[in-house]
Every structure is written in C-alpha cells, then in structure tokens.
Amino acid sequence: MNITERVDFIIKEKSISRSKLSSMLGVRQNTFNGYFSPEKEDALAPYLWKIIDVFPDVSRDWLFFGEGEPFLRARPEYINIADTLFDLMRLLGDDPAKVAAVGGISKQKLDSLLACHEP
C-alpha cells in the first residue's frame, strides 16, 4: 500500500469521508483530494502526524511506511524528535531542506540535530 491507500484505509475504517478528514486536518477539500494523485502523494507527508493526532490509535510506522499493523493498542507517551526526523528522511529522501520544511524546523537546526545523532 502507498501513502494514499493507507490514508484511504483509515478513512474507510473510521467511517468518514475525505471531505470530513480534510476538514479535521484544516485543509481545503479540493487541495486535499489533489494529494491523492500519484505525482502529488508526497504532499500528504506533512499531514500524517495530524492524522495520528486526530486518530491516536493509528500506528505511526504503518501510516508512514506500511510496516506492522494499522492500529495500536496504546499511543506512545512521547515522540523523539531525532527519530521523527530520521523517519521523515526515510519517507521524503535525503533532501535536508525538504525534511526541515516538513519537520517545521530550520535547515541549520536539522543539521545540528543530525550531527548530534550520528553514531
């Protein structure tokens, strides 16, 4: 399953519509629907965390990467920012500027975090 198929799966399982989810995420319906085309599916990436906020029982690993089961039994208590950035890099590729923009941090801060996280 790709990202759009996983988001559509959540929509179906939660018995809502794309329109309802777009409203819950604060995205115009036409804009949100446009993200479901293959060439624009990367535009859904910034909304994946919002989907998890709206539906805390959705598995982050499943929603981002298709790994594991779609739903959690319990929501993690916290999210490690460095792990989150590395997850974004796995999802978006190694373009630091794109990862920083989606992660909502400056390129300089991303470089600093990555330097501290190197093994």
Side-chain angles (χ1 to χ4, degrees):
M1 259 187 210
N2 63 30
I3 294 172
T4 57
E5 291 169 332
R6 291 190 299 271
V7 172
D8 273 337
F9 177 86
I10 296 300
I11 289 168
K12 180 181 175 207
E13 289 297 308
K14 296 297 184 176
S15 300
I16 60 172
S17 64
R18 279 188 187 172
S19 173
K20 176 67 176 173
L21 183 58
S22 70
S23 175
M24 295 168 86
L25 299 175
V27 183
R28 289 182 17 171
Q29 181 181 353
N30 289 342
T31 301
F32 189 69
N33 285 338
Y35 295 156
F36 286 81
S37 64
E39 60 276 355
K40 292 186 180 178
E41 73 176 13
D42 282 350
L44 276 174
Y47 298 100
L48 298 181
W49 283 113
K50 290 182 180 184
I51 291 171
I52 290 171
D53 284 341
V54 171
F55 302 114
D57 61 331
V58 172
S59 163
R60 175 184 66 103
D61 289 339
W62 179 84
L63 186 59
F64 274 69
F65 312 110
E67 299 172 356
E69 297 297 317
F71 297 100
L72 301 170
R73 293 179 191 213
R75 184 171 184 189
E77 293 299 316
Y78 70 94
I79 298 168
N80 180 301
I81 185 67
D83 290 343
T84 300
L85 291 170
F86 281 103
D87 286 346
L88 283 172
M89 290 178 82
R90 258 181 54 194
L91 182 65
L92 299 173
D94 289 331
D95 179 354
K98 188 173 184 181
V99 172
V102 170
I105 63 173
S106 70
K107 167 79 170 60
Q108 182 180 15
K109 180 67 174 173
L110 174 64
D111 290 341
S112 172
L113 287 168
L114 293 175
C116 292
H117 200 275
E118 290 179 2

